Amino acid sequence: MIDRDVLQDYLRERWGDPQLRVSDFEEVPGGKSKETILTTVVRGTGETNRLVVRADRSASPLTSKATDEFAVIDAVYRYGGVPVAKPLLHEPDPGILGGTALISERVDGARPGQFFPELEKPQHHGPELMRHFATVLARLHTMPLDLLAGTHLDPTPQPVTAEALDQSVLELADMLAKGRGPDVASMQIAVDWLRRHLDVVPEDTPRGLNHGDIGLHNMLARDGEITALLDWELPHIGPIAYELATVHTAVTSLTTWDAFVEAYLAVGGPPQAVDRRTIAFYRVHKCLWLAWYSRAASQLYWSGARRDIISAGVSFDSQFRHSLKLARAVDSAIEVAWP
């Protein structure tokens, strides 16, 4: 866990200000792989800065590092048009702050909902929020990939082949088989359906930068406008339809999918990315990945590596919600393409 005094000393050294002091220090609940601290620092000049500090947790189901996040956020921030917090510092040495870390400015706004919209979703400005969401995604997905040079991402998009898709499905199936939890019929049905329908994703499907974990739970908003996209742990360059499939549940909890697609296309989103069959395929694929992720996070709890309330919640609630979400995605996909 990040120590307040250690952070204060660190910022004093990095900013060359021996009078700097940390006046507020609050850990944000949640976060399965990264620890997040909200803090306010007062400089020797009297200037006040509101900051967010993110550092790797010692036990995590993901291998991503906070320093990797920093480079991608910095590229997106400089690109412009995608609301992200201004990145300020990053620390690659995990021994200093307890993990590799990034520090950014704090942005005003509140999370409009949770990953599972049935638990929490916006009560006001829902349609406006989704229209702005469509605009933000279209801007992100059309970002020139050469701007990502210098990050850990390969700016050369790989072709989408049936062989590569099949390999990704088999890897998911293998990871699921190794995880702890009850057998769930929808998981095997999902694997079978995906392997039967590898051809629904065309090789020339548009590719671009994906946030990787986008949704109501990973954004800040105010009055129907997104003020920041958060938690850039899983960015990758790949099919844009994958990201659009990821947001399907959040979008349809607030508006119709057709209305969202219309808004996305109106501001420059690639038409090929919203192909109905491709979206159906990637919805099932993403939900299957989430089923694995929830099991992996649950295993940290049962093994004793993590004994916090968030890990307990994943073990006793989230993995079952993910199973239900997967079943719904499979059911919807069957309507689009069967057998």
Side-chain angles (χ1 to χ4, degrees):
M1 180 176 177
I2 299 174
D3 180 84
R4 178 175 182 155
D5 292 337
V6 171
L7 176 63
Q8 180 172 273
D9 290 342
Y10 176 78
L11 292 174
R12 284 176 174 177
E13 180 179 352
R14 289 296 302 269
W15 282 336
D17 185 351
Q19 303 302 315
L20 179 149
R21 62 184 176 86
V22 172
S23 64
D24 295 316
F25 190 87
E26 176 188 0
E27 183 174 6
V28 178
K32 302 177 185 67
S33 59
K34 299 288 187 296
E35 178 185 0
T36 302
I37 300 292
L38 302 181
T39 185
T40 301
V41 301
V42 181
R43 308 226 189 180
T45 60
E47 178 187 358
T48 298
N49 298 109
R50 299 164 64 243
L51 308 176
V52 178
V53 184
R54 282 173 58 78
D56 309 325
R57 291 190 184 275
S58 57
S60 168
L62 300 179
T63 59
S64 64
K65 300 297 182 184
T67 47
D68 294 335
E69 288 186 52
F70 181 91
V72 175
I73 294 170
D74 187 55
V76 173
Y77 180 84
R78 287 185 282 107
Y79 168 55
V82 178
V84 293
K86 181 179 180 179
L88 300 174
L89 298 170
H90 69 102
E91 178 50 60
D93 185 347
I96 295 178
L97 293 174
T100 77
L102 70 89
I103 299 174
S104 60
E105 289 185 348
R106 201 186 316 177
V107 177
D108 290 332
R111 293 182 194 254
Q114 295 192 33
F115 181 89
F116 301 106
E118 65 268 23
L119 296 178
E120 183 184 2
K121 64 181 181 180
Q123 299 302 307
H124 306 285
H125 305 295
E128 297 93 330
L129 180 66
M130 283 302 104
R131 283 194 292 272
H132 190 225
F133 194 19
T135 299
V136 168
L137 281 176
R139 175 69 175 170
L140 177 67
H141 293 160
T142 53
M143 176 179 177
L145 297 182
D146 59 356
L147 298 181
L148 295 165
T151 72
H152 70 291
L153 303 178
D154 182 353
T156 305
Q158 300 301 310
V160 179
T161 65
E163 292 77 11
L165 286 174
D166 194 31
Q167 181 62 31
S168 70
V169 175
L170 291 174
E171 288 174 358
L172 275 173
D174 182 60
M175 290 189 298
L176 280 166
K178 294 176 181 177
R180 175 170 178 163
D183 293 332
V184 179
S186 61
M187 293 180 184
Q188 187 56 55
I189 293 172
V191 170
D192 292 343
W193 186 90
L194 287 169
R195 299 198 70 199
R196 283 200 193 103
H197 296 88
L198 300 170
D199 62 335
V200 306
V201 180
E203 291 195 8
D204 61 350
T205 188
R207 295 176 291 279
L209 176 60
N210 283 232
H211 173 281
D213 189 21
I214 205 163
L216 299 176
H217 63 302
N218 273 341
M219 65 173 68
L220 296 178
R222 182 177 55 198
D223 299 330
E225 183 170 320
I226 299 169
T227 57
L229 298 181
L230 309 175
D231 296 359
W232 292 74
E233 296 172 327
L234 298 169
H236 60 277
I237 296 170
I240 298 167
Y242 184 87
E243 184 113 280
L244 295 175
T246 297
V247 304
H248 190 279
T249 300
V251 166
T252 54
S253 73
L254 298 175
T255 186
T256 66
W257 180 250
D258 287 345
F260 175 81
V261 168
E262 182 180 357
Y264 179 81
L265 296 178
V267 291
Q272 304 95 320
V274 296
D275 175 77
R276 189 163 168 255
R277 286 161 59 89
T278 305
I279 294 291
F281 181 93
Y282 281 125
R283 273 189 71 194
V284 175
H285 193 285
K286 179 66 174 184
C287 287
L288 191 62
W289 185 90
L290 288 167
W292 164 78
Y293 177 79
S294 64
R295 286 196 173 203
S298 175
Q299 184 62 30
L300 292 176
Y301 176 81
W302 289 111
S303 68
R306 292 270 299 273
R307 280 292 183 175
D308 56 279
I309 190 65
I310 300 300
S311 299
V314 171
S315 298
F316 293 103
D317 181 72
S318 294
Q319 67 171 312
F320 297 103
R321 291 184 185 274
H322 281 304
S323 296
L324 178 59
K325 189 175 179 181
L326 175 60
R328 289 171 175 164
V330 171
D331 186 56
S332 178
I334 289 172
E335 293 181 9
V336 174
W338 183 264

